[in-house]
PDB file of all heavy atoms in Angstrom:
ATOM      1  N   ILE U 139     119.252 100.880  54.088  1.00 98.00           N
ATOM      2  CA  ILE U 139     118.489 100.462  55.187  1.00 98.00           C
ATOM      3  C   ILE U 139     118.553 101.416  56.382  1.00 98.00           C
ATOM      4  O   ILE U 139     117.552 101.877  57.007  1.00 98.00           O
ATOM      5  CB  ILE U 139     118.798  99.066  55.616  1.00 98.00           C
ATOM      6  CG1 ILE U 139     118.284  98.034  54.626  1.00 98.00           C
ATOM      7  CG2 ILE U 139     118.237  98.708  57.017  1.00 98.00           C
ATOM      8  CD1 ILE U 139     118.791  96.537  54.872  1.00 98.00           C
ATOM      9  N   MET U 140     119.856 101.782  56.633  1.00 99.00           N
ATOM     10  CA  MET U 140     120.111 102.703  57.759  1.00 99.00           C
ATOM     11  C   MET U 140     119.581 104.129  57.447  1.00 99.00           C
ATOM     12  O   MET U 140     119.006 104.805  58.349  1.00 99.00           O
ATOM     13  CB  MET U 140     121.611 102.715  58.086  1.00 99.00           C
ATOM     14  CG  MET U 140     122.097 101.402  58.572  1.00 99.00           C
ATOM     15  SD  MET U 140     121.337 100.762  60.048  1.00 99.00           S
ATOM     16  CE  MET U 140     122.074 101.932  61.267  1.00 99.00           C
ATOM     17  N   ALA U 141     119.755 104.540  56.247  1.00 98.00           N
ATOM     18  CA  ALA U 141     119.334 105.954  55.938  1.00 98.00           C
ATOM     19  C   ALA U 141     117.776 106.011  55.942  1.00 98.00           C
ATOM     20  O   ALA U 141     117.204 107.022  56.573  1.00 98.00           O
ATOM     21  CB  ALA U 141     119.733 106.274  54.491  1.00 98.00           C
ATOM     22  N   ASP U 142     117.117 104.938  55.601  1.00 98.00           N
ATOM     23  CA  ASP U 142     115.590 104.966  55.691  1.00 98.00           C
ATOM     24  C   ASP U 142     115.132 105.012  57.125  1.00 98.00           C
ATOM     25  O   ASP U 142     114.067 105.433  57.308  1.00 98.00           O
ATOM     26  CB  ASP U 142     115.057 103.720  54.975  1.00 98.00           C
ATOM     27  CG  ASP U 142     115.167 103.876  53.456  1.00 98.00           C
ATOM     28  OD1 ASP U 142     115.363 104.968  52.946  1.00 98.00           O
ATOM     29  OD2 ASP U 142     115.017 102.740  52.740  1.00 98.00           O
ATOM     30  N   ALA U 143     116.043 104.429  58.035  1.00 98.00           N
ATOM     31  CA  ALA U 143     115.650 104.449  59.439  1.00 98.00           C
ATOM     32  C   ALA U 143     116.078 105.736  60.244  1.00 98.00           C
ATOM     33  O   ALA U 143     115.930 105.843  61.411  1.00 98.00           O
ATOM     34  CB  ALA U 143     116.277 103.211  60.137  1.00 98.00           C
ATOM     35  N   GLY U 144     116.727 106.692  59.419  1.00 98.00           N
ATOM     36  CA  GLY U 144     117.068 107.928  60.029  1.00 98.00           C
ATOM     37  C   GLY U 144     118.524 108.137  60.476  1.00 98.00           C
ATOM     38  O   GLY U 144     118.809 108.950  61.288  1.00 98.00           O
ATOM     39  N   PHE U 145     119.482 107.350  59.891  1.00 98.00           N
ATOM     40  CA  PHE U 145     120.830 107.401  60.198  1.00 98.00           C
ATOM     41  C   PHE U 145     121.677 107.956  59.102  1.00 98.00           C
ATOM     42  O   PHE U 145     121.374 107.870  57.797  1.00 98.00           O
ATOM     43  CB  PHE U 145     121.456 106.004  60.487  1.00 98.00           C
ATOM     44  CG  PHE U 145     120.961 105.324  61.712  1.00 98.00           C
ATOM     45  CD1 PHE U 145     119.690 104.656  61.722  1.00 98.00           C
ATOM     46  CD2 PHE U 145     121.645 105.441  62.936  1.00 98.00           C
ATOM     47  CE1 PHE U 145     119.269 104.009  62.903  1.00 98.00           C
ATOM     48  CE2 PHE U 145     121.220 104.828  64.037  1.00 98.00           C
ATOM     49  CZ  PHE U 145     120.038 104.173  63.999  1.00 98.00           C
ATOM     50  N   ASP U 146     122.816 108.761  59.449  1.00 98.00           N
ATOM     51  CA  ASP U 146     123.720 109.251  58.510  1.00 98.00           C
ATOM     52  C   ASP U 146     124.946 108.247  58.453  1.00 98.00           C
ATOM     53  O   ASP U 146     125.312 107.808  59.544  1.00 98.00           O
ATOM     54  CB  ASP U 146     124.283 110.576  58.926  1.00 98.00           C
ATOM     55  CG  ASP U 146     123.131 111.658  58.806  1.00 98.00           C
ATOM     56  OD1 ASP U 146     122.243 111.514  57.936  1.00 98.00           O
ATOM     57  OD2 ASP U 146     123.048 112.579  59.678  1.00 98.00           O
ATOM     58  N   ASP U 147     125.408 107.997  57.336  1.00 98.00           N
ATOM     59  CA  ASP U 147     126.693 107.160  57.327  1.00 98.00           C
ATOM     60  C   ASP U 147     127.935 107.955  57.412  1.00 98.00           C
ATOM     61  O   ASP U 147     127.897 109.147  57.325  1.00 98.00           O
ATOM     62  CB  ASP U 147     126.679 106.386  55.881  1.00 98.00           C
ATOM     63  CG  ASP U 147     127.009 107.260  54.772  1.00 98.00           C
ATOM     64  OD1 ASP U 147     126.259 108.298  54.632  1.00 98.00           O
ATOM     65  OD2 ASP U 147     127.941 106.958  54.002  1.00 98.00           O
ATOM     66  N   TYR U 148     129.028 107.250  57.657  1.00 96.00           N
ATOM     67  CA  TYR U 148     130.437 107.844  57.774  1.00 96.00           C
ATOM     68  C   TYR U 148     131.141 107.237  56.633  1.00 96.00           C
ATOM     69  O   TYR U 148     131.551 106.034  56.635  1.00 96.00           O
ATOM     70  CB  TYR U 148     131.085 107.459  59.102  1.00 96.00           C
ATOM     71  CG  TYR U 148     132.402 108.024  59.335  1.00 96.00           C
ATOM     72  CD1 TYR U 148     132.618 109.349  59.090  1.00 96.00           C
ATOM     73  CD2 TYR U 148     133.437 107.253  59.857  1.00 96.00           C
ATOM     74  CE1 TYR U 148     133.909 109.877  59.381  1.00 96.00           C
ATOM     75  CE2 TYR U 148     134.634 107.810  60.092  1.00 96.00           C
ATOM     76  CZ  TYR U 148     134.885 109.147  59.854  1.00 96.00           C
ATOM     77  OH  TYR U 148     136.080 109.654  60.177  1.00 96.00           O
ATOM     78  N   PRO U 149     131.363 108.036  55.544  1.00 97.00           N
ATOM     79  CA  PRO U 149     131.783 107.537  54.289  1.00 97.00           C
ATOM     80  C   PRO U 149     133.103 106.689  54.311  1.00 97.00           C
ATOM     81  O   PRO U 149     133.298 105.838  53.420  1.00 97.00           O
ATOM     82  CB  PRO U 149     131.990 108.756  53.368  1.00 97.00           C
ATOM     83  CG  PRO U 149     130.988 109.713  53.996  1.00 97.00           C
ATOM     84  CD  PRO U 149     131.150 109.444  55.463  1.00 97.00           C
ATOM     85  N   VAL U 150     134.069 106.865  55.240  1.00 95.00           N
ATOM     86  CA  VAL U 150     135.274 106.188  55.198  1.00 95.00           C
ATOM     87  C   VAL U 150     135.241 104.812  56.001  1.00 95.00           C
ATOM     88  O   VAL U 150     136.243 104.113  56.016  1.00 95.00           O
ATOM     89  CB  VAL U 150     136.374 107.059  55.798  1.00 95.00           C
ATOM     90  CG1 VAL U 150     136.707 108.259  54.858  1.00 95.00           C
ATOM     91  CG2 VAL U 150     136.166 107.535  57.184  1.00 95.00           C
ATOM     92  N   GLU U 151     134.112 104.623  56.571  1.00 97.00           N
ATOM     93  CA  GLU U 151     133.971 103.294  57.292  1.00 97.00           C
ATOM     94  C   GLU U 151     132.524 102.797  56.951  1.00 97.00           C
ATOM     95  O   GLU U 151     131.481 103.238  57.444  1.00 97.00           O
ATOM     96  CB  GLU U 151     134.021 103.538  58.859  1.00 97.00           C
ATOM     97  CG  GLU U 151     135.427 103.908  59.319  1.00 97.00           C
ATOM     98  CD  GLU U 151     135.446 104.124  60.826  1.00 97.00           C
ATOM     99  OE1 GLU U 151     134.475 104.272  61.511  1.00 97.00           O
ATOM    100  OE2 GLU U 151     136.630 104.348  61.270  1.00 97.00           O
ATOM    101  N   TRP U 152     132.425 101.751  56.260  1.00 98.00           N
ATOM    102  CA  TRP U 152     131.112 101.175  55.805  1.00 98.00           C
ATOM    103  C   TRP U 152     130.219 100.781  56.930  1.00 98.00           C
ATOM    104  O   TRP U 152     128.936 100.751  56.768  1.00 98.00           O
ATOM    105  CB  TRP U 152     131.300 100.068  54.826  1.00 98.00           C
ATOM    106  CG  TRP U 152     132.048  98.907  55.399  1.00 98.00           C
ATOM    107  CD1 TRP U 152     133.381  98.474  55.097  1.00 98.00           C
ATOM    108  CD2 TRP U 152     131.570  97.827  56.268  1.00 98.00           C
ATOM    109  NE1 TRP U 152     133.721  97.365  55.808  1.00 98.00           N
ATOM    110  CE2 TRP U 152     132.718  96.914  56.501  1.00 98.00           C
ATOM    111  CE3 TRP U 152     130.219  97.489  56.843  1.00 98.00           C
ATOM    112  CZ2 TRP U 152     132.514  95.762  57.315  1.00 98.00           C
ATOM    113  CZ3 TRP U 152     130.152  96.408  57.584  1.00 98.00           C
ATOM    114  CH2 TRP U 152     131.239  95.524  57.808  1.00 98.00           C
ATOM    115  N   TRP U 153     130.770 100.534  58.119  1.00 98.00           N
ATOM    116  CA  TRP U 153     130.045  99.947  59.287  1.00 98.00           C
ATOM    117  C   TRP U 153     129.493 101.104  60.207  1.00 98.00           C
ATOM    118  O   TRP U 153     128.686 100.713  61.165  1.00 98.00           O
ATOM    119  CB  TRP U 153     130.930  99.054  60.074  1.00 98.00           C
ATOM    120  CG  TRP U 153     132.201  99.707  60.535  1.00 98.00           C
ATOM    121  CD1 TRP U 153     132.485 100.472  61.589  1.00 98.00           C
ATOM    122  CD2 TRP U 153     133.492  99.600  59.965  1.00 98.00           C
ATOM    123  NE1 TRP U 153     133.649 100.914  61.738  1.00 98.00           N
ATOM    124  CE2 TRP U 153     134.285 100.330  60.618  1.00 98.00           C
ATOM    125  CE3 TRP U 153     133.967  98.951  58.722  1.00 98.00           C
ATOM    126  CZ2 TRP U 153     135.720 100.521  60.267  1.00 98.00           C
ATOM    127  CZ3 TRP U 153     135.284  99.099  58.371  1.00 98.00           C
ATOM    128  CH2 TRP U 153     136.201  99.857  59.159  1.00 98.00           C
ATOM    129  N   HIS U 154     129.777 102.295  60.020  1.00 98.00           N
ATOM    130  CA  HIS U 154     129.656 103.356  61.057  1.00 98.00           C
ATOM    131  C   HIS U 154     128.396 104.275  60.700  1.00 98.00           C
ATOM    132  O   HIS U 154     128.425 104.901  59.608  1.00 98.00           O
ATOM    133  CB  HIS U 154     130.923 104.176  61.058  1.00 98.00           C
ATOM    134  CG  HIS U 154     130.943 105.316  62.103  1.00 98.00           C
ATOM    135  ND1 HIS U 154     131.776 105.291  63.076  1.00 98.00           N
ATOM    136  CD2 HIS U 154     130.218 106.352  62.258  1.00 98.00           C
ATOM    137  CE1 HIS U 154     131.638 106.383  63.820  1.00 98.00           C
ATOM    138  NE2 HIS U 154     130.668 107.090  63.348  1.00 98.00           N
ATOM    139  N   PHE U 155     127.468 104.383  61.491  1.00 98.00           N
ATOM    140  CA  PHE U 155     126.258 105.139  61.383  1.00 98.00           C
ATOM    141  C   PHE U 155     125.808 105.965  62.558  1.00 98.00           C
ATOM    142  O   PHE U 155     126.074 105.453  63.718  1.00 98.00           O
ATOM    143  CB  PHE U 155     125.017 104.287  60.985  1.00 98.00           C
ATOM    144  CG  PHE U 155     125.341 103.615  59.652  1.00 98.00           C
ATOM    145  CD1 PHE U 155     125.946 102.367  59.627  1.00 98.00           C
ATOM    146  CD2 PHE U 155     124.885 104.168  58.438  1.00 98.00           C
ATOM    147  CE1 PHE U 155     126.190 101.696  58.404  1.00 98.00           C
ATOM    148  CE2 PHE U 155     125.062 103.598  57.263  1.00 98.00           C
ATOM    149  CZ  PHE U 155     125.790 102.244  57.197  1.00 98.00           C
ATOM    150  N   THR U 156     125.309 107.178  62.425  1.00 98.00           N
ATOM    151  CA  THR U 156     124.894 107.999  63.529  1.00 98.00           C
ATOM    152  C   THR U 156     123.487 108.477  63.232  1.00 98.00           C
ATOM    153  O   THR U 156     123.122 108.881  62.194  1.00 98.00           O
ATOM    154  CB  THR U 156     125.826 109.241  63.666  1.00 98.00           C
ATOM    155  OG1 THR U 156     127.183 108.836  63.946  1.00 98.00           O
ATOM    156  CG2 THR U 156     125.357 110.149  64.747  1.00 98.00           C
ATOM    157  N   LEU U 157     122.664 108.457  64.337  1.00 98.00           N
ATOM    158  CA  LEU U 157     121.333 108.999  64.198  1.00 98.00           C
ATOM    159  C   LEU U 157     121.360 110.378  63.859  1.00 98.00           C
ATOM    160  O   LEU U 157     121.986 111.271  64.357  1.00 98.00           O
ATOM    161  CB  LEU U 157     120.510 108.757  65.550  1.00 98.00           C
ATOM    162  CG  LEU U 157     119.026 109.046  65.605  1.00 98.00           C
ATOM    163  CD1 LEU U 157     118.312 107.954  64.672  1.00 98.00           C
ATOM    164  CD2 LEU U 157     118.539 109.022  67.016  1.00 98.00           C
ATOM    165  N   SER U 158     120.552 110.718  62.753  1.00 98.00           N
ATOM    166  CA  SER U 158     120.532 112.089  62.159  1.00 98.00           C
ATOM    167  C   SER U 158     120.183 113.124  63.252  1.00 98.00           C
ATOM    168  O   SER U 158     120.809 114.138  63.379  1.00 98.00           O
ATOM    169  CB  SER U 158     119.695 112.119  60.956  1.00 98.00           C
ATOM    170  OG  SER U 158     120.025 111.233  60.051  1.00 98.00           O
ATOM    171  N   ASP U 159     119.147 112.836  63.998  1.00 98.00           N
ATOM    172  CA  ASP U 159     118.706 113.736  64.964  1.00 98.00           C
ATOM    173  C   ASP U 159     118.974 113.249  66.401  1.00 98.00           C
ATOM    174  O   ASP U 159     118.164 112.998  67.231  1.00 98.00           O
ATOM    175  CB  ASP U 159     117.026 113.830  64.856  1.00 98.00           C
ATOM    176  CG  ASP U 159     116.542 115.016  65.616  1.00 98.00           C
ATOM    177  OD1 ASP U 159     117.289 115.912  66.032  1.00 98.00           O
ATOM    178  OD2 ASP U 159     115.320 114.974  65.916  1.00 98.00           O
ATOM    179  N   GLU U 160     120.337 113.121  66.636  1.00 98.00           N
ATOM    180  CA  GLU U 160     120.764 112.590  67.911  1.00 98.00           C
ATOM    181  C   GLU U 160     120.446 113.543  69.041  1.00 98.00           C
ATOM    182  O   GLU U 160     120.539 114.728  68.941  1.00 98.00           O
ATOM    183  CB  GLU U 160     122.242 112.287  67.884  1.00 98.00           C
ATOM    184  CG  GLU U 160     123.171 113.412  67.587  1.00 98.00           C
ATOM    185  CD  GLU U 160     124.668 113.009  67.587  1.00 98.00           C
ATOM    186  OE1 GLU U 160     125.075 112.357  68.595  1.00 98.00           O
ATOM    187  OE2 GLU U 160     125.358 113.341  66.656  1.00 98.00           O
ATOM    188  N   PRO U 161     120.063 112.926  70.236  1.00 98.00           N
ATOM    189  CA  PRO U 161     119.554 113.796  71.328  1.00 98.00           C
ATOM    190  C   PRO U 161     120.627 114.526  72.092  1.00 98.00           C
ATOM    191  O   PRO U 161     120.437 115.437  72.806  1.00 98.00           O
ATOM    192  CB  PRO U 161     118.824 112.823  72.216  1.00 98.00           C
ATOM    193  CG  PRO U 161     119.427 111.518  71.919  1.00 98.00           C
ATOM    194  CD  PRO U 161     119.743 111.564  70.505  1.00 98.00           C
ATOM    195  N   TYR U 162     121.940 113.967  71.989  1.00 98.00           N
ATOM    196  CA  TYR U 162     123.071 114.589  72.721  1.00 98.00           C
ATOM    197  C   TYR U 162     124.232 114.976  71.836  1.00 98.00           C
ATOM    198  O   TYR U 162     125.300 114.370  71.866  1.00 98.00           O
ATOM    199  CB  TYR U 162     123.476 113.689  73.795  1.00 98.00           C
ATOM    200  CG  TYR U 162     122.428 113.210  74.894  1.00 98.00           C
ATOM    201  CD1 TYR U 162     121.916 112.040  74.852  1.00 98.00           C
ATOM    202  CD2 TYR U 162     122.117 114.174  75.902  1.00 98.00           C
ATOM    203  CE1 TYR U 162     120.932 111.665  75.804  1.00 98.00           C
ATOM    204  CE2 TYR U 162     121.199 113.837  76.762  1.00 98.00           C
ATOM    205  CZ  TYR U 162     120.567 112.619  76.825  1.00 98.00           C
ATOM    206  OH  TYR U 162     119.619 112.270  77.699  1.00 98.00           O
ATOM    207  N   PRO U 163     123.993 115.899  70.913  1.00 98.00           N
ATOM    208  CA  PRO U 163     125.053 116.160  69.902  1.00 98.00           C
ATOM    209  C   PRO U 163     126.343 116.693  70.408  1.00 98.00           C
ATOM    210  O   PRO U 163     127.401 116.692  69.792  1.00 98.00           O
ATOM    211  CB  PRO U 163     124.366 117.071  68.906  1.00 98.00           C
ATOM    212  CG  PRO U 163     123.302 117.809  69.820  1.00 98.00           C
ATOM    213  CD  PRO U 163     122.823 116.800  70.784  1.00 98.00           C
ATOM    214  N   ASP U 164     126.375 117.233  71.684  1.00 97.00           N
ATOM    215  CA  ASP U 164     127.465 117.928  72.217  1.00 97.00           C
ATOM    216  C   ASP U 164     127.907 117.291  73.542  1.00 97.00           C
ATOM    217  O   ASP U 164     128.794 117.902  74.209  1.00 97.00           O
ATOM    218  CB  ASP U 164     127.254 119.413  72.381  1.00 97.00           C
ATOM    219  CG  ASP U 164     126.872 120.094  71.076  1.00 97.00           C
ATOM    220  OD1 ASP U 164     127.694 119.913  70.091  1.00 97.00           O
ATOM    221  OD2 ASP U 164     125.849 120.764  71.070  1.00 97.00           O
ATOM    222  N   THR U 165     127.437 116.133  73.947  1.00 97.00           N
ATOM    223  CA  THR U 165     127.719 115.489  75.285  1.00 97.00           C
ATOM    224  C   THR U 165     128.397 114.218  75.034  1.00 97.00           C
ATOM    225  O   THR U 165     127.987 113.361  74.309  1.00 97.00           O
ATOM    226  CB  THR U 165     126.373 115.393  76.023  1.00 97.00           C
ATOM    227  OG1 THR U 165     125.690 116.608  76.113  1.00 97.00           O
ATOM    228  CG2 THR U 165     126.723 114.872  77.415  1.00 97.00           C
ATOM    229  N   TYR U 166     129.571 114.077  75.695  1.00 97.00           N
ATOM    230  CA  TYR U 166     130.320 112.873  75.602  1.00 97.00           C
ATOM    231  C   TYR U 166     130.338 112.196  76.965  1.00 97.00           C
ATOM    232  O   TYR U 166     130.882 112.625  77.932  1.00 97.00           O
ATOM    233  CB  TYR U 166     131.811 113.222  75.241  1.00 97.00           C
ATOM    234  CG  TYR U 166     131.833 113.748  73.735  1.00 97.00           C
ATOM    235  CD1 TYR U 166     131.522 115.088  73.655  1.00 97.00           C
ATOM    236  CD2 TYR U 166     132.072 112.971  72.684  1.00 97.00           C
ATOM    237  CE1 TYR U 166     131.483 115.684  72.296  1.00 97.00           C
ATOM    238  CE2 TYR U 166     132.007 113.540  71.456  1.00 97.00           C
ATOM    239  CZ  TYR U 166     131.765 114.809  71.219  1.00 97.00           C
ATOM    240  OH  TYR U 166     131.731 115.360  69.954  1.00 97.00           O
ATOM    241  N   PHE U 167     129.641 111.069  77.141  1.00 98.00           N
ATOM    242  CA  PHE U 167     129.434 110.332  78.408  1.00 98.00           C
ATOM    243  C   PHE U 167     130.552 109.354  78.703  1.00 98.00           C
ATOM    244  O   PHE U 167     131.316 109.016  77.839  1.00 98.00           O
ATOM    245  CB  PHE U 167     128.068 109.587  78.336  1.00 98.00           C
ATOM    246  CG  PHE U 167     126.876 110.484  78.146  1.00 98.00           C
ATOM    247  CD1 PHE U 167     126.307 110.649  76.946  1.00 98.00           C
ATOM    248  CD2 PHE U 167     126.273 111.122  79.270  1.00 98.00           C
ATOM    249  CE1 PHE U 167     125.225 111.522  76.765  1.00 98.00           C
ATOM    250  CE2 PHE U 167     125.121 111.897  79.103  1.00 98.00           C
ATOM    251  CZ  PHE U 167     124.631 112.111  77.884  1.00 98.00           C
ATOM    252  N   ASP U 168     130.633 109.005  80.019  1.00 97.00           N
ATOM    253  CA  ASP U 168     131.781 108.152  80.479  1.00 97.00           C
ATOM    254  C   ASP U 168     131.290 107.095  81.431  1.00 97.00           C
ATOM    255  O   ASP U 168     132.165 106.531  82.107  1.00 97.00           O
ATOM    256  CB  ASP U 168     132.847 109.128  81.052  1.00 97.00           C
ATOM    257  CG  ASP U 168     134.155 108.349  81.288  1.00 97.00           C
ATOM    258  OD1 ASP U 168     134.529 107.515  80.411  1.00 97.00           O
ATOM    259  OD2 ASP U 168     134.828 108.585  82.260  1.00 97.00           O
TER     260      ASP U 168
END
């Protein structure tokens, strides 16, 4: 479901997904 919506999974955590084309790939907000 998540892959079809454009997300990449994190194989060691079944619950963890990141948007494939994320807009801020190098920015960590606070």
Side-chain angles (χ1 to χ4, degrees):
I139 287 173
M140 295 299 287
D142 288 346
F145 289 86
D146 296 325
D147 70 306
Y148 183 46
V150 298
E151 295 176 350
W152 59 258
W153 55 82
H154 182 118
F155 297 87
T156 299
L157 187 68
S158 302
D159 191 20
E160 58 178 311
Y162 300 105
D164 301 309
T165 306
Y166 296 80
F167 297 97
D168 194 30

